[in-house]
Amino acid sequence: MAARRTWIEPVVAGAQVASSFYDTGLLMVVKDHYNQNNTSSNSSDDDALQKAISNFYIIYNLILGLSPILSAYVLAKIGDKWNRKITICVPLGGYLTSRCLLLFVILLDWPIEVMFGSAALNGLTGWFTTYWAGVMAWASLASSERKRSLQLIIIELVYGLAGFAGSLASGHIFTDLNIKNYKGAVLVSCSLACYTFCLLYSVFVLKIPDTDQLCIEHITEEDQTISNSRHKSLNSEYTERSGLLDDQPHHIRVPDSCDAQTTLPASKAIIIIMFISAILYNIASTSTEDVINVFVLKKPLSWGPVDVGYGNAATYVTYITSFLGVYVFSKCLGDLGMIIIGMLSFSAGVLIMAFVRWTFLYYIARAVMMFSLIPTPTIRSMISKNIQGSSYVLLAANIRSSSTCTRMKKEHKLLIPVFGADNPGNNVALEQKR
């Protein structure tokens, strides 16, 4: 029972359902706000509406992306030194507090610019940069080095399943459940309820993993495996592979996951290259999603709340297929092979997405991108195996912050001219030229 209290999956699932509700609600509230402004000014220009929405999200994302740079580092240091719950609980509290403002915008008719303050408050409490870094660090500490890649992709799977379920329901909740004329109030309230559950669970139920106990269990497992292996090969000669993998005497073998000093570290150059690779891939994937999410509202797709929910659900299916891909490919391929497959899947899917003019073609592109989420957690796992355990949070926070800063700078330069184009397919193609 105590071991179950170390599971971070309930927090990941609840927070992602809440985030799915909030993202759909915010997008539709912003669209309705600027649509009303265009109606009051007797303007029905679809490009003007789309430009207004894009300008809002450019400012919103800039604030949200840049404000947690310092706070993420500070929280990561405090979490490493004092309590690892800090990097999870503080961002969750920030989510809950800042996203209450959207409910006030709906119920009290506050100006939509209030959401810029919400983004700043969310960023100052760490935002997703600190939260996800804390989750990854927690999962890394709760798993052995041998099972770390699988554990991290399981977290991604839970994240995707929760996002899939939340996205499917969000459009229907926004459309069918309303308080009088306050569209989205029920949806945002459900989001806040999920964040409240996650925060309470993190504070009162979640227990920090016992790394000493994990090491003892891992040593026992390693000893049993080595004993069985030696017993089977007692009368046989070493092959080249067995000689490379197990050329130490049994009595001095030390499991590499329990003592970082016994692991032969990779060169700093390799770690830096992997770090840069993770940043570049994050920039490419997240920026593409930012562009796609806004352009589905525009002709020729012209999606409504339900279609937006289904589209987001299709995005989260990628988490499931990527998990299955890691589970299958890890049996016959190494980390490098899985990373290459994921990048090829992403590139092919984006190429198709560049020519999307019908809804069915959008889903075909999503199907091609089924393994596109494999590279990031795999690269993160490779890096974490070659650094000290106390650096997990700082590593993940640095990757996220660096990706966000670079992405925000490029989006600020490219999104406004892109939104003026007529073909949404060409817009995605332009975004990929970064």
Side-chain angles (χ1 to χ4, degrees):
M1 182 64 183
R4 294 181 181 178
R5 292 182 59 186
T6 65
W7 292 356
I8 195 67
E9 285 83 354
V11 177
V12 174
Q16 187 51 34
V17 170
S19 180
S20 300
F21 288 167
Y22 175 81
D23 291 341
T24 300
L26 177 63
L27 180 60
M28 300 316 300
V29 168
V30 171
K31 179 183 178 183
D32 290 344
H33 172 79
Y34 288 111
N35 194 30
Q36 291 176 2
N37 288 350
N38 286 345
T39 302
S40 61
S41 61
N42 297 324
S43 174
S44 59
D45 187 2
D46 186 65
D47 287 336
L49 173 63
Q50 201 64 43
K51 185 175 181 179
I53 297 175
S54 69
N55 288 338
F56 170 86
Y57 271 100
I58 287 174
I59 300 174
Y60 182 84
N61 288 331
L62 278 172
I63 297 174
L64 198 58
L66 297 178
S67 56
I69 293 177
L70 179 59
S71 60
Y73 181 80
V74 173
L75 289 173
K77 293 289 287 185
I78 294 175
D80 267 351
K81 186 175 181 180
W82 297 105
N83 193 318
R84 295 199 178 276
K85 281 189 178 184
I86 292 175
T87 56
I88 297 175
C89 296
V90 173
L92 286 175
Y95 275 122
L96 179 61
T97 305
S98 63
R99 297 189 170 184
C100 286
L101 295 180
L102 180 58
L103 188 62
F104 296 151
V105 169
I106 296 173
L107 297 179
L108 304 179
D109 198 24
W110 285 4
I112 198 66
E113 288 76 15
V114 170
M115 297 311 300
F116 298 148
S118 171
L121 178 60
N122 199 353
L124 292 175
T125 54
W127 185 50
F128 191 80
T129 302
T130 305
Y131 163 73
W132 197 244
V135 169
M136 291 292 101
W138 192 284
S140 297
L141 292 174
S143 60
S144 63
E145 182 176 314
R146 178 185 299 178
K147 298 180 180 180
R148 187 167 299 159
S149 293
L150 183 61
Q151 179 63 32
L152 295 183
I153 202 66
I154 286 175
I155 297 295
E156 300 276 359
L157 172 65
V158 173
Y159 180 91
L161 287 172
F164 175 78
S167 297
L168 282 180
S170 62
H172 294 285
I173 295 175
F174 184 90
T175 304
D176 301 332
L177 300 178
N178 290 304
I179 302 175
K180 296 182 179 179
N181 294 324
Y182 302 114
K183 287 186 177 181
V186 175
L187 183 62
V188 176
S189 299
C190 292
S191 175
L192 297 177
C194 291
Y195 279 126
T196 302
F197 162 77
C198 293
L199 182 59
L200 295 176
Y201 183 93
S202 300
V203 173
F204 297 109
V205 179
L206 198 62
K207 182 181 178 182
I208 298 176
D210 186 353
T211 54
D212 293 337
Q213 181 65 28
L214 178 65
C215 286
I216 293 173
E217 294 176 357
H218 184 66
I219 290 172
T220 303
E221 181 182 330
E222 286 268 326
D223 288 344
Q224 184 65 34
T225 302
I226 295 169
S227 177
N228 293 338
S229 176
R230 288 182 179 277
H231 179 72
K232 292 179 181 179
S233 60
L234 185 61
N235 297 322
S236 63
E237 296 181 354
Y238 275 159
T239 62
E240 180 182 357
R241 178 175 177 81
S242 64
L244 288 173
L245 295 181
D246 193 18
D247 58 357
Q248 294 182 3
H250 173 57
H251 67 279
I252 65 171
R253 183 178 178 90
V254 179
D256 47 9
S257 62
C258 297
D259 189 354
Q261 294 180 353
T262 64
T263 302
L264 182 62
S267 66
K268 292 183 179 180
I270 295 177
I271 294 177
I272 292 173
I273 291 173
M274 289 191 291
F275 184 84
I276 295 174
S277 299
I279 292 174
L280 293 177
Y281 189 79
N282 272 341
I283 292 171
S285 58
T286 55
S287 298
T288 300
E289 294 297 334
D290 288 343
V291 175
I292 294 174
N293 289 339
V294 178
F295 274 105
V296 296
L297 302 175
K298 186 182 178 182
K299 293 180 180 180
L301 297 183
S302 301
W303 282 3
V306 176
D307 290 324
V308 168
Y310 287 160
N312 290 337
T315 304
Y316 286 114
V317 170
T318 309
Y319 287 89
I320 304 172
T321 54
S322 294
F323 166 78
L324 296 176
V326 169
Y327 183 78
V328 173
F329 296 144
S330 61
K331 297 180 179 180
C332 55
L333 297 174
D335 288 341
L336 181 59
M338 292 191 294
I339 291 172
I340 292 174
I341 290 176
M343 291 183 174
L344 290 176
S345 175
F346 172 77
S347 301
V350 169
L351 180 62
I352 297 174
M353 192 71 74
F355 301 97
V356 166
R357 296 188 63 84
W358 303 277
T359 298
F360 77 90
L361 193 57
Y362 171 90
Y363 289 108
I364 291 176
R366 285 297 183 192
V368 175
M369 297 171 69
M370 66 174 66
F371 300 131
S372 61
L373 296 177
I374 291 178
T376 300
T378 305
I379 294 174
R380 188 186 296 119
S381 174
M382 292 173 64
I383 299 175
S384 70
K385 293 175 183 178
N386 294 282
I387 63 173
Q388 294 181 355
S390 60
S391 302
Y392 288 148
V393 177
L394 290 176
L395 165 72
N398 285 333
I399 291 176
R400 186 77 191 182
S401 297
S402 302
S403 302
T404 301
C405 291
T406 309
R407 178 168 61 94
M408 289 300 106
K409 290 178 182 178
K410 290 182 178 292
E411 284 184 1
H412 181 70
K413 295 178 180 178
L414 291 177
L415 278 176
I416 292 180
V418 167
F419 277 118
D422 293 330
N423 187 349
N426 292 336
N427 297 329
V428 178
L430 288 173
E431 181 68 6
Q432 291 310 298
K433 290 183 179 180
R434 298 172 304 165

